Amino acid sequence: MSAAPKYHLKTGSNAEKPDMNWSQAQETITMLALAVAQIESTLTDGSQSVGDLTDSFTTIVSDAEKIRKAVDGVTPETIGTVKETVDAAVGDISQRIHKAVIAFQFYDRISQKLDHVCNSMEDLGNLIGNPEKLCNPKAWTGLQNNIKDSYSMEAERLMFEYILRGHPIEEALEVYRHHFKQESEQKDDGIEDSVEFF
């Protein structure tokens, strides 16, 4: 049995090619659905970052304890074994710090995404509050293009397109998550040697 959709907004925009059914109310609903999808994706990304940070710090504490115990019991006879234990723990700590740095970088990304949502909502409010623009499909297309141009990730642009085409928010979020995961994996492959500690 599949779960009922969480969001029940009918989305979709035809501002580029308005017909007799075009309405600013539908355009507003679509822009609000986009904001919901952006916030939902940001919360998911933030939750993942917190999980990564928690896991990294827990492992670092555990490895530090291993080092302390190994050093406490060092004797001339066990120095080789202690060195191996310390080397392994230090290597693991280094990897966990690398993951923590990446997780902190996601927080900057989260802040940027929420800033985009705020700006989009402000622009939407300005459009709705302007009687000359409210009923002008070109003004709505301009708003949509400005929002789309603010995205730096392909996953965000795809989510935006799905919402504008009238797909449910859940489906747009699935597309976002799929492409976000692919983009993150590609970046992780290339970031291994590029993280700088300061």
Side-chain angles (χ1 to χ4, degrees):
M1 178 183 211
S2 62
K6 186 175 178 182
Y7 306 105
H8 303 285
L9 299 173
K10 183 182 179 313
T11 64
S13 172
N14 61 349
E16 290 211 16
K17 296 179 182 177
D19 57 19
M20 295 301 287
N21 293 322
W22 182 85
S23 78
Q24 66 272 19
Q26 182 61 40
E27 297 297 330
T28 303
I29 289 168
T30 299
M31 292 296 96
L32 292 174
L34 176 63
V36 167
Q38 288 176 296
I39 292 168
E40 183 81 25
S41 67
T42 301
L43 291 173
T44 301
D45 296 347
S47 180
Q48 178 64 46
S49 292
V50 168
D52 289 347
L53 285 170
T54 301
D55 183 47
S56 291
F57 291 132
T58 300
T59 303
I60 289 169
V61 169
S62 174
D63 285 339
E65 183 64 20
K66 286 179 193 173
I67 291 170
R68 188 190 62 74
K69 284 181 180 178
V71 171
D72 280 350
V74 73
T75 64
E77 296 81 28
T78 61
I79 192 112
T81 305
V82 169
K83 181 183 181 320
E84 289 174 13
T85 301
V86 170
D87 283 346
V90 167
D92 197 29
I93 288 172
S94 178
Q95 288 178 347
R96 293 301 175 159
I97 289 173
H98 174 74
K99 284 186 174 187
V101 168
I102 292 170
F104 278 124
Q105 290 171 342
F106 272 110
Y107 272 105
D108 182 49
R109 181 84 187 117
I110 289 167
S111 175
Q112 290 174 18
K113 287 174 71 173
L114 291 176
D115 190 47
H116 287 160
V117 174
C118 291
N119 291 336
S120 297
M121 291 296 94
E122 183 178 357
D123 292 346
L124 175 63
N126 289 336
L127 191 152
I128 291 171
N130 184 332
E132 292 176 12
K133 292 182 177 180
L134 178 62
C135 296
N136 181 345
K138 287 184 181 180
W140 287 93
T141 301
L143 172 65
Q144 293 165 2
N145 288 334
N146 287 341
I147 292 170
K148 186 176 180 181
D149 290 345
S150 73
Y151 297 140
S152 60
M153 294 173 51
E154 184 64 19
E156 292 172 312
R157 285 188 281 275
L158 288 169
M159 180 177 69
F160 173 86
E161 290 293 335
Y162 264 66
I163 295 286
L164 255 59
R165 285 191 224 135
H167 293 276
I169 294 173
E170 287 85 358
E171 192 175 317
L173 285 168
E174 281 303 313
V175 167
Y176 169 83
R177 289 180 190 115
H178 173 74
H179 287 278
F180 181 80
K181 183 178 177 187
Q182 285 182 331
E183 288 178 36
S184 295
E185 288 171 356
Q186 289 171 354
K187 285 181 183 176
D188 285 349
D189 289 345
I191 201 170
E192 284 299 320
D193 298 321
S194 65
V195 174
E196 295 180 18
F197 299 101
F198 42 101

